[in-house]
Amino acid sequence: MNSAYEVYAKSYYEDGILKTETLKEHTFSLINNYEILKERYGTEINKKLVERYDPEVFWDLLRIAAIYHDLGKLNSLFQNKIRRLIGQEELLSEFEKEIPHNYLSPALLPKRYKEIYGIDNFFMLIFSIIYHHHREMNFDKKYLEEYLSKEILNKLDLIKWINELDPNFNENNVLGNKYTVLLLRDSGKLKSIENKLEFILLKGLLYRLDHSSSAHVEVEKERIDNVEDKLVYYITYVKKSNLKGFQRKAKDLRDKSVLLTAPTGIGKTEFAINWMGETKSLYSLPLRVSVNAMYERFKNIFGEENIGILHGDIIYYDIDNLENLEREIKEHLYRISLSRQMSYPIIICTADQIFTSFFRFPGYEKVFSIFPYAKIIVDEPQAYTSESLAVIVEGLKKIHEMGGRFCLMSATVYPILEVIFKDIAENIKVKDTDNKNHKIKYYPEHAIEDLVNEIVFEFSKGKKVLVIVNTVKKAQQLYFSLKGQINDKSNRVNLMHSRFIGIDRMNKEHKIFLDEKSSEPCIWITTQIVEASLDIDFDILFTELAPVDALIQRMGRIYRKRKYLSDDPNIIISGSSNKPSGKGAIYDSKLVDETYNIFFDFDNKLINYDDKNYMVEHVYSMEILKNSNYYKKFLDYKRIMDIDYKVETRGEAEKIFRKISNVRAIPVEIYDRNREKLVEIRDMIYSKNIVKKLKGLRELQNYVVDIPLQVEMCSRNIFTTGEIEGLDLYIINLKYDKELGLIPEKELENII
């Protein structure tokens, strides 16, 4: 074999064809992205570093790390993995066990960098390269030294191109086997630097340079110019309105963190946009469906080329609207890569994409490295559990300490948040004296099912009726009861909750928007999934008692865009003698109790924004809150964050953040009925053709449902095996109904 051969960095599929990228190509791509990053955001990063670290040294170290991070891929065992794939003759080696390249690369660093930058910076450089991957160190010093001698140090003629990037590189002046002492001697050195901002930034930005270069995208796209002008144009010519006073004031607050309390529908998003200005920004929301809606809104203002979307189902987003998937798939995947690498100047995302990083899973620095030069928006914080909110709160405090800025905004901000952020954030409260669109009728002793006749009566008057309850079981029972009272040939009574398979839930989300725009009356029975996710405007709400902030969110789906002029109540609340469904399980009992008591004062009254704020301030006052499980859980998670609790994987962090204990499964009858289709989907998923693979993954979502493992009836009926080999799915052995969703057997007779 010729002594000179191509040294590969990676292999990948493009249009179903296996391709390779050389180590030189990959390294030069990183340096190109390094220059892009430094040009577009170097000024902001320098401002955050200058108080504690020399920015010039930082950029030197980042460039060196980018050049040397993958050079350990020289070794034959790594090269042979790619050579086998592309049908090339394998290289000879006396070694059987490969040492991961991240442990080999630092041995090629020039010795003189220890003198130029000092021992602490030299260690920082070495550890940033070692830990750009997290792999087990299952080798000893002797094996490492032999491996370096025979697999790396005798092949330096293959990477002479390094001199084009670093004139300090010299075959006779590399660390070589002396590096092994540095690697294996002093783990305490890593402990002393791992929490320093400069190391977090160095490691995190190396991740971003590496990952974006591997994805063949820019690490940072051009920032958006003239943000305020684009916003004013959109408001003036598209929305036919004007920038309001508090929205204009946002420009003066761009250097500050902000706590914004403002009524629903008054324009908090436009405030946030003007506050962001030209700074890179991450705009977070609690639910994927609300992220999708906000993404479309931002696209209308700034154009698709400037806005990224990031959540767990990003790969499927908008795929059904591509006119020609085969033709447009490259652009679709390119946009996904830009979003996943957080390259867009504005990213619309779910909160877990940001705040799970505070559990410091391996690689968390990739997200952290953005914070010092970015702005973070948290919209609708009341939609999170107390545990998730504690993570967000502590995360925002650390972002502020790192030099980033945040805007936390809601129609109702808890008093405790005002106390926590009083020293670091401007507290902006927007009044709305005209917002009197909700008149309350309170039935403290009635259950929601006692109001069926009243619901039917309002429907018969031609109204669009929204019914929100606290549990899926209650929603199913109520739906069945209402269907029994109404001759529903035109399908005007509908049910929506989280336990429908994907295709049914998607159809329901589509239909609720059609029903809202129709001139025909309708009834929709739903759970909390509509509280902060769907931009609908119904005529009247019937709701079970829940904590006051949840009720206010539910009210926001009624007369959302219109003025209410009738004397009749349009918000009907059933107190269920203070025992609504989900009390204690879904909602904190103390908060439900206090909400039950406070609504006596508002029965048969037209309430405004000040009234709603008063309710929230009372129910969530420290006097009430301190005796609640809500506050106890909040404090527990706050303490976890205070001690910088670490997890092993990002998946574990996501479960802790959202308290997720769900799995996706196919109801057994759906599985049995669609076996041929599922085999076809399996074959598509395993195809090397990316279009087929993507179609298969997307279609599979149509058949699965989210299963809450905390519900015993669900968890004990889940099976992990199916008969379709290669389709790794859970099967749930419970009845599924297209109208009712998943029905635990024990509850079936109670419903029907």
Side-chain angles (χ1 to χ4, degrees):
M1 178 178 291
N2 193 318
S3 59
Y5 54 85
E6 289 283 15
V7 178
Y8 299 109
K10 58 178 288 195
S11 62
Y12 61 97
Y13 280 95
E14 186 176 285
D15 298 330
I17 300 170
L18 182 63
K19 295 189 175 183
T20 59
E21 183 171 82
T22 67
L23 187 56
K24 180 178 180 180
E25 289 169 337
H26 179 59
T27 306
F28 272 78
S29 179
L30 259 82
I31 295 305
N32 182 56
N33 263 326
Y34 165 88
E35 297 296 344
I36 288 172
L37 175 68
K38 190 174 181 181
E39 176 195 344
R40 293 177 182 170
Y41 289 101
T43 301
E44 286 91 336
I45 293 171
N46 289 348
K47 284 181 181 177
K48 304 307 184 276
L49 281 169
V50 71
E51 295 178 4
R52 65 189 87 199
Y53 195 76
D54 185 341
E56 189 174 336
V57 170
F58 174 82
W59 289 106
D60 282 354
L61 294 182
L62 180 59
R63 190 175 188 277
I64 294 166
I67 294 170
Y68 288 87
H69 79 291
D70 265 359
L71 296 189
K73 289 181 177 180
L74 271 174
N75 78 87
S76 299
L77 274 67
F78 178 89
Q79 291 299 308
N80 284 342
K81 288 188 291 189
I82 297 178
R83 296 175 76 91
R84 281 194 293 271
L85 285 173
I86 61 178
Q88 288 187 351
E89 182 182 352
E90 293 187 28
L91 305 172
L92 296 176
S93 176
E94 65 181 75
F95 297 95
E96 294 184 1
K97 184 174 70 174
E98 180 187 355
I99 293 182
H101 70 271
N102 51 298
Y103 290 116
L104 307 173
S105 298
L108 299 183
L109 287 168
K111 294 177 188 174
R112 65 192 306 259
Y113 284 146
K114 186 166 65 169
E115 284 71 43
I116 292 174
Y117 297 107
I119 189 65
D120 287 341
N121 287 328
F122 197 53
F123 266 110
M124 199 161 77
L125 179 60
I126 288 172
F127 284 126
S128 69
I129 293 173
I130 291 173
Y131 293 109
H132 83 278
H133 291 294
H134 287 263
R135 292 168 175 148
E136 187 178 352
M137 192 188 296
N138 57 357
F139 51 85
D140 58 25
K141 182 175 181 288
K142 183 180 179 182
Y143 190 78
L144 174 60
E145 288 177 344
E146 290 179 2
Y147 201 95
L148 283 171
S149 295
K150 297 176 182 178
E151 286 292 346
I152 300 293
L153 300 176
N154 63 347
K155 298 179 181 181
L156 300 189
D157 59 313
L158 295 173
I159 54 169
K160 288 180 179 178
W161 49 265
I162 291 293
N163 289 113
E164 299 174 42
L165 299 173
D166 184 9
N168 289 304
F169 178 71
N170 184 309
E171 298 178 37
N172 301 314
N173 190 38
V174 298
L175 274 178
N177 278 329
K178 290 185 178 179
Y179 154 68
T180 61
V181 178
L182 295 174
L183 172 63
L184 302 171
R185 181 191 64 190
D186 193 359
S187 60
K189 183 65 74 173
L190 176 62
K191 294 284 185 186
S192 70
I193 64 173
E194 63 181 353
N195 291 323
K196 291 183 176 180
L197 177 63
E198 56 269 26
F199 181 66
I200 291 171
L201 272 178
L202 181 65
K203 195 172 166 208
L205 291 176
L206 178 60
Y207 274 123
R208 296 197 64 223
L209 294 176
D210 189 19
H211 295 177
S212 57
S213 298
S214 292
H216 302 125
V217 299
E218 292 179 313
V219 65
E220 289 287 0
K221 285 179 66 67
E222 289 276 8
R223 58 175 85 210
I224 303 172
D225 292 327
N226 304 315
V227 167
E228 187 175 11
D229 291 345
K230 290 179 172 67
L231 175 63
V232 169
Y233 180 89
Y234 175 78
I235 291 176
T236 304
Y237 295 103
V238 179
K239 303 295 286 184
K240 308 297 182 185
S241 184
N242 296 300
L243 207 61
K244 296 173 182 175
F246 84 99
Q247 294 166 338
R248 286 195 299 271
K249 184 180 179 181
K251 185 176 181 178
D252 301 326
L253 299 168
R254 287 178 180 172
D255 291 332
K256 301 177 182 294
S257 291
V258 177
L259 193 62
L260 174 67
T261 311
T264 300
I266 199 172
K268 293 189 294 294
T269 299
E270 287 74 15
F271 172 94
I273 290 171
N274 203 18
W275 172 78
M276 285 155 40
E278 281 73 46
T279 306
K280 183 180 181 72
S281 299
L282 308 177
Y283 192 119
S284 70
L285 291 140
L287 299 172
R288 291 174 188 176
V289 65
S290 50
V291 167
N292 294 343
M294 189 63 72
Y295 172 67
E296 294 298 328
R297 190 169 170 183
F298 269 71
K299 273 194 340 187
N300 289 335
I301 302 173
F302 298 112
E304 183 179 56
E305 68 278 7
N306 290 311
I307 309 298
I309 181 172
L310 193 57
H311 55 57
D313 287 340
I314 179 181
I315 196 166
Y316 314 121
Y317 179 71
D318 211 33
I319 194 172
D320 297 326
N321 293 325
L322 297 183
E323 292 180 8
N324 186 319
L325 186 57
E326 283 78 3
R327 189 179 69 240
E328 299 179 43
I329 189 66
K330 276 189 177 180
E331 180 63 25
H332 178 71
L333 293 176
Y334 178 71
R335 290 197 299 268
I336 288 172
S337 292
L338 284 167
S339 290
R340 284 181 169 164
Q341 304 310 323
M342 293 186 168
S343 301
Y344 283 105
I346 298 175
I347 307 282
I348 315 297
C349 60
T350 46
D352 57 293
Q353 299 293 331
I354 301 171
F355 293 100
T356 52
S357 64
F358 289 96
F359 288 108
R360 297 178 182 261
F361 52 82
Y364 79 92
E365 297 96 339
K366 181 179 178 180
V367 180
F368 260 49
S369 67
I370 296 173
F371 295 151
Y373 64 98
K375 290 181 176 177
I376 314 298
I377 296 91
V378 177
D379 200 355
E380 307 294 357
Q382 77 292 331
Y384 298 97
T385 64
S386 57
E387 297 96 325
S388 296
L389 186 60
V391 176
I392 290 171
V393 165
E394 292 303 302
L396 291 177
K397 286 164 64 178
K398 289 178 182 177
I399 288 169
H400 189 88
E401 289 172 11
M402 292 172 69
R405 293 294 176 259
F406 66 83
C407 175
L408 187 146
M409 57 189 197
S410 176
T412 53
V413 172
Y414 305 151
I416 187 175
L417 298 184
E418 295 181 349
V419 174
I420 289 171
F421 293 125
K422 66 182 174 62
D423 294 327
I424 62 173
E426 289 283 321
N427 194 352
I428 306 297
K429 295 191 176 184
V430 181
K431 297 286 184 180
D432 186 9
T433 55
D434 296 327
N435 184 16
K436 295 184 178 181
N437 289 343
H438 299 134
K439 187 171 183 179
I440 306 294
K441 180 60 186 172
Y442 186 39
Y443 291 106
E445 306 306 316
H446 285 64
I448 192 76
E449 51 266 37
D450 298 334
L451 306 180
V452 165
N453 290 337
E454 193 170 336
I455 294 170
V456 173
F457 176 69
E458 296 294 343
F459 169 77
S460 69
K461 287 161 61 176
K463 291 185 180 179
K464 300 182 194 304
V465 184
L466 181 64
V467 184
I468 304 181
V469 296
N470 300 340
T471 63
V472 171
K473 177 181 176 181
K474 180 68 72 175
Q476 291 170 328
Q477 291 172 333
L478 199 58
Y479 170 76
F480 201 81
S481 178
L482 283 164
K483 290 285 279 191
Q485 292 217 21
I486 295 174
N487 185 13
D488 191 23
K489 293 181 181 178
S490 58
N491 197 26
R492 305 309 299 169
V493 181
N494 287 275
L495 173 68
M496 184 162 66
H497 53 70
S498 60
R499 292 187 212 164
F500 284 99
I501 60 173
I503 188 66
D504 292 339
R505 180 164 171 176
M506 184 172 63
N507 289 337
K508 287 174 180 295
E509 287 178 358
H510 180 64
K511 188 175 188 303
I512 196 171
F513 286 115
L514 293 179
D515 282 357
E516 183 217 23
K517 291 174 174 58
S518 168
S519 59
E520 296 293 317
C522 62
I523 300 175
W524 275 86
I525 301 100
T526 77
T527 55
Q528 306 91 314
I529 60 171
V530 302
E531 283 180 16
S533 60
L534 298 182
D535 186 12
I536 53 175
D537 187 8
F538 274 53
D539 297 324
I540 188 167
L541 169 70
F542 288 82
T543 175
E544 277 194 292
L545 186 70
V548 63
D549 54 318
L551 292 180
I552 290 171
Q553 285 296 117
R554 296 177 187 186
M555 293 177 199
R557 311 306 114 185
I558 305 299
Y559 269 82
R560 183 176 178 84
K561 304 164 186 174
R562 301 166 285 163
K563 209 161 184 61
Y564 193 61
L565 302 175
S566 172
D567 289 331
D568 297 326
N570 62 349
I571 305 293
I572 318 298
I573 302 171
S574 72
S576 304
S577 297
N578 201 17
K579 292 181 182 178
S581 68
K583 181 181 178 182
I586 297 173
Y587 295 120
D588 183 89
S589 295
K590 180 66 175 175
L591 300 180
V592 173
D593 291 343
E594 292 301 324
T595 303
Y596 174 84
N597 292 330
I598 203 169
F599 267 98
F600 283 99
D601 297 334
F602 293 93
D603 183 30
N604 210 34
K605 289 184 179 178
L606 191 66
I607 64 171
N608 61 22
Y609 180 61
D610 287 341
D611 295 325
K612 294 172 184 176
N613 270 331
Y614 165 77
M615 295 180 200
V616 172
E617 288 171 3
H618 172 77
V619 173
Y620 284 86
S621 67
M622 281 308 302
E623 184 180 352
I624 303 296
L625 211 56
K626 66 184 180 183
N627 297 316
S628 68
N629 284 327
Y630 179 98
Y631 188 56
K632 180 181 179 299
K633 292 174 184 176
F634 180 88
L635 289 180
D636 286 345
Y637 265 58
K638 192 173 180 299
R639 292 185 191 102
I640 288 174
M641 298 298 292
D642 286 340
I643 63 171
D644 288 332
Y645 178 70
K646 295 181 181 180
V647 297
E648 294 296 322
T649 66
R650 179 168 192 150
E652 186 182 349
E654 288 170 350
K655 288 181 180 179
I656 294 172
F657 177 72
R658 289 192 176 272
K659 297 211 73 176
I660 296 171
S661 53
N662 287 7
V663 297
R664 289 185 170 184
I666 299 183
V668 64
E669 57 197 272
I670 301 294
Y671 180 82
D672 290 338
R673 218 164 43 226
N674 295 278
R675 288 193 184 208
E676 288 186 14
K677 181 62 179 176
L678 289 169
V679 169
E680 180 185 325
I681 288 172
R682 185 271 316 274
D683 293 341
M684 291 168 70
I685 290 172
Y686 281 91
S687 168
K688 291 180 180 178
N689 183 294
I690 187 61
V691 175
K692 287 184 179 179
K693 184 185 291 287
L694 193 55
K695 282 182 175 178
L697 290 168
R698 173 67 185 86
E699 286 192 38
L700 184 61
Q701 304 307 306
N702 290 335
Y703 300 95
V704 300
V705 60
D706 282 326
I707 306 299
L709 294 178
Q710 67 269 27
V711 177
E712 183 188 354
M713 186 64 68
C714 291
S715 62
R716 73 167 183 242
N717 281 283
I718 285 181
F719 302 91
T720 57
T721 57
E723 296 174 8
I724 302 175
E725 186 178 353
L727 197 60
D728 186 20
L729 283 173
Y730 290 101
I731 310 294
I732 184 156
N733 189 27
L734 291 176
K735 183 173 176 57
Y736 182 83
D737 182 271
K738 191 177 180 69
E739 287 187 70
L740 292 169
L742 194 71
I743 313 169
E745 302 262 345
K746 193 174 180 181
E747 298 174 2
L748 189 58
E749 59 185 54
N750 293 333
I751 294 169
I752 299 175

